[in-house]
Amino acid sequence: MSNRVLFFVQGRPRSFSLVANMPGRSFKPKHLKTWQGRVAMVAQAAIAKSGITLDDAGPYRVDLVFCFTTKKTKTISWFLGRPDSDNLRKAVQDAMQDLLPDDSRVVLGETAKIYHPTLEGVFVFIDAKPDCPLVELERMGFSMDSL
């Protein structure tokens, strides 16, 4: 059984944001709720199909690649504009809260934003048994003893 799952959620990525309508009260915009619902549905199906077991124990690695399109996009390139990558990431991780109940167990993860000529959405990679970064450094020849 694999400890990893990769899936793609199609649609315009939305970042986490709350809108204040009165002092001390805020709500999620409809476009964010719709996006998070789509992320949760696709994630649940992909995780069930993969057979991966996710529980509160962790640790987890969650990598995200957000894809944006424009009429001018002809090649893959970095997306340098808004929304910010941390707010995009928060929207996706919060959408998966029923699958990863405690997102503080996400200990590793990379986030990328790119322009893509045809794809709009997010690639999500979850690793339920990630290696510690120090183990990776040692594999690459870096020694902790040399510090």
Side-chain angles (χ1 to χ4, degrees):
M1 180 180 301
S2 175
N3 295 318
R4 299 174 178 176
V5 63
L6 171 68
F7 55 93
F8 181 72
V9 182
Q10 190 169 4
R12 181 120 181 119
R14 300 297 184 169
S15 65
F16 182 83
S17 63
L18 295 177
V19 176
N21 61 348
M22 291 176 24
R25 301 185 81 176
S26 58
F27 66 94
K28 284 184 187 180
K30 184 177 180 182
H31 66 269
L32 175 58
K33 287 182 182 178
T34 302
W35 170 246
Q36 288 183 314
R38 185 178 304 132
V39 169
M41 182 180 68
V42 173
Q44 188 172 22
I47 289 168
K49 184 177 178 181
S50 74
I52 191 173
T53 302
L54 302 176
D55 55 31
D56 286 341
Y60 300 109
R61 176 184 183 127
V62 178
D63 292 332
L64 305 171
V65 178
F66 292 93
C67 303
F68 295 88
T69 60
T70 67
K71 292 178 182 176
K72 297 178 182 179
T73 303
K74 302 290 185 226
T75 60
I76 296 173
S77 60
W78 294 112
F79 179 85
L80 301 176
R82 291 186 180 265
D84 299 343
S85 60
D86 57 334
N87 291 329
L88 288 165
R89 181 176 193 83
K90 180 166 178 45
V92 170
Q93 281 191 203
D94 285 357
M96 296 189 301
Q97 67 186 358
D98 291 338
L99 304 168
L100 293 170
D102 185 358
D103 65 3
S104 68
R105 303 289 184 184
V106 176
V107 297
L108 289 169
E110 293 185 25
T111 305
K113 302 185 312 180
I114 62 170
Y115 281 118
H116 193 282
T118 58
L119 289 177
E120 190 162 62
V122 62
F123 285 97
V124 180
F125 171 76
I126 300 172
D127 185 347
K129 297 203 185 284
D131 286 333
C132 176
L134 295 177
V135 172
E136 283 296 314
L137 288 173
E138 287 176 353
R139 279 190 199 140
M140 295 183 326
F142 182 79
S143 170
M144 297 299 144
D145 297 331
S146 64
L147 295 178

